[in-house]
Amino acid sequence: MRVHRGICAKLQSGFLRRWWAAVAFGLLLVIIAAILASLFPNLINLIINKQVSLKEGNKSFDWWRAPPVTPEMHVYIYNVTNADEFLNNGDKPILQEIGPYVYLQTWEKVELQFNGNDTISYKPKKEYIFSPELSVGLEDDLVVVPNVPMLSATTQSKHAARFLRLAMASILDILKIKPFVEVSVGQLLWGYEDPLLKLAKDVVPKEQKLPYDQFGLLYGKNGTSPDNYTIFTGQSDITKYGMLEKWNGKLNLGHWKTDECDSVMGTDGSIFPPHITKNTVLKVFDKDLCRALPLVFQKEVITSGGIPGYRFTPPKDVFASAERMESNKCFCPAGPPCAPEGTFNVSLCQYESPVLLSFPHFYLADPSLREAVIGVSPPDAEKHQLFIDVQPTMGTALRARARVQINLAVSQVRDIKQVANFPDIIFPIMWFEDGIDELPKEVISLLRLAVELPPVARAAVCGALGIIGLIILVGALFCLARAAKRQEKLHLTTPLPPSATKNDQLNPAFQNPK
């Protein structure tokens, strides 16, 4: 009883001298706790939006400009072991997959320029350093692969005038150019002098010349790119954060039939707009892929450091044939025949070279493409699927595997003796895996803080206010009820003066003397 009286006495002291003030204050705290609990996620989102937007001084800006990661590129090459038998006897090509040849990368954005309209322009700079310790061999290893410049030229001449095809056959004979070449791994990737390209440099009109005089599957990619990217910073509209507005000053590629297919709107794959849900469709733009690649939710994952994320992968029909999927007809501007099931024709982005991209080992492609060669094992989603693991709240890429296979669509041309026996075939040349396994500890710590702190803070702040408010409210009501009961008891037990008469006892004025 003394404890109750002490609490009630405290409630009556100071600014809570009246019971109604205590009740109102307790009720106010409960209401504030309820409102704060409902608005807390929105407040957190506002803080996240401000912190992730690309603005000088933000930690996210520094990490975007120079990512504190070391991505690895694993290269696998299909070495042709029976080139002569394939050309002369019509045998299936026998391929030996060699790799990985591993390159460590550093990424940086250079020549930054804020444009004042919530966009920033830059040029990407990537440097590749060969790692012999992580590789199966050296860059000097020799491999036999299709002669891409030659086969591209012969395939393109298939529908040219016959005298042009005969002239090409004579040139190939004079230069002793063959359908297969033996080059080192380093030359195949980063470039070697090709006699056909050298000849073209001397005889082709200036406006039709290729922008390079060497051939390499990754030629010109080691260093600062000449391409200019303009992306949204997210300061005004967080839903566009990291999305590409223009590429080389253009809103579209200018290759495909519809605006949706031709648009460059997508991110570079390292950042995405925050607040991602399982229904979100992410888009990654890659100029070499010649499109923005859509990614859809596949499953929930736990990445390094215990950070939860969502795994996004391309839809299974992303490279479906135009015949099977109506929406993909936009990627076949010349009309049938279009790229076969599971491949994507990027010739318009590769100076008309008949290059088809697919996933490694023809994953999700027509099985006949893999069966046309010997030595390519059946595809495995765990090894050959492209995916990106994203932290949905921040939109940060946690782990990624960009897996792409480069193929050459070769056509038989009877008038060119060098390829007269070369059948129509989708010839796989190499595939690579580019990505990261984990983020630095500093980044993981901040991501964990962003993931774990908000719900804890919400529960602590709202819970504390709610509990304090309930204690005050219940305590005030209890003390009010106790005081009312005591007043009633005092009222019932008040003694009357001995001289009071019976009529006086019934008189209200007597019972309540002033």
Side-chain angles (χ1 to χ4, degrees), residues 324-337:
R324 186 171 74 85
M325 193 169 180
E326 183 75 18
S327 60
N328 279 351
K329 285 186 176 180
C330 62
F331 294 117
C332 187

Side-chain angles (χ1 to χ4, degrees), residues 39-52 275:
L39 296 180
F40 202 87
N42 295 331
L43 296 175
I44 293 298
N45 288 342
L46 289 175
I47 296 173
I48 290 175
N49 294 349
K50 185 176 180 179
Q51 292 301 316
V52 303
H275 320 307

